[in-house]
Amino acid sequence: RRYYAGLAKLESLSFDTQAHWLRWAQLLGQVDQLAHSEKIFRAVAGECGSYKAYHGLGVVYVKQQKLDRAVEILSTAKDLAPADASVRNDYGYALMRIGRYDRAAFELRTAFELSEGNASSRQNMIAAYYLVGGDASLSNLQREVGMTDDQIQRGRALARTLLEEAP
């Protein structure tokens, strides 16, 4: 990925659309310029009320480990765009990070279904189901949705990592 080149090219264009500002903030976040990214996303969210700006801001807060704030902001993004799989996935992930596993499982199952089986949503959903009910919950999920043992194993590994990193 060429995030730095993308930033340079974007800076050469006119910043007269919300899309330019959002893409710039997103690229800044991807090159760990989180404070600058946060500032731009916050400004666009405040000015335009865009779910994409709230979503980006929530992702930045997750990266900054400001998890309670991330959940609050991602909830706003979800309220503005309830059928956006990416928003639901990131909201569910943030909920998992603060230990709200039941709610996370709901959001991530929704994201998984909206995305028609996106790998990130799948792995996060498996992790949340494991954190809610262990292997029994995963067995039920595997029967309902039809996942491979390898996919279940990766989701279980993510759940264990999240438990190790829990505050």
Side-chain angles (χ1 to χ4, degrees):
R1 297 186 191 234
R2 298 175 42 129
Y3 299 128
Y4 293 90
L7 273 171
K9 289 178 182 177
L10 198 57
E11 287 174 348
S12 70
L13 301 173
S14 171
F15 278 79
D16 57 356
T17 69
Q18 183 185 131
H20 279 99
W21 285 103
L22 291 173
R23 185 65 181 139
W24 190 38
Q26 183 183 38
L27 287 169
L28 286 169
Q30 289 171 327
V31 297
D32 290 325
Q33 298 295 312
L34 297 177
H36 199 143
S37 179
E38 174 189 352
K39 181 180 175 182
I40 294 165
F41 277 128
R42 202 170 345 118
V44 174
E47 186 70 26
C48 304
S50 162
Y51 86 88
K52 290 179 181 180
Y54 282 106
H55 182 207
L57 183 58
V59 170
V60 167
Y61 284 145
V62 169
K63 289 179 179 183
Q64 293 174 327
Q65 303 300 314
K66 298 176 182 176
L67 299 175
D68 290 328
R69 188 75 177 125
V71 166
E72 178 185 335
I73 294 297
L74 287 167
S75 176
T76 299
K78 183 199 72 148
D79 291 345
L80 293 170
D84 186 287
S86 182
V87 170
R88 300 292 283 245
N89 182 59
D90 291 336
Y91 179 49
Y93 180 78
L95 288 166
M96 269 199 304
R97 295 285 311 273
I98 64 168
R100 292 180 54 196
Y101 305 129
D102 283 334
R103 186 67 198 173
F106 175 85
E107 294 298 335
L108 292 165
R109 179 70 178 260
T110 304
F112 176 77
E113 290 182 8
L114 286 169
S115 71
E116 299 181 9
N118 171 276
S120 176
S121 296
R122 180 180 53 240
Q123 184 172 340
N124 288 339
M125 177 184 65
I126 293 167
Y129 271 72
Y130 180 76
L131 292 167
V132 169
D135 287 324
S137 182
L138 290 184
S139 293
N140 290 336
L141 180 65
Q142 192 170 21
R143 270 193 309 278
E144 291 173 16
V145 181
M147 296 179 192
T148 67
D149 290 340
D150 187 55
Q151 291 167 336
I152 295 292
Q153 213 35 35
R154 284 195 302 274
R156 187 184 290 124
L158 173 60
R160 290 181 179 141
T161 299
L162 291 172
L163 284 173
E164 290 169 7
E165 295 174 355

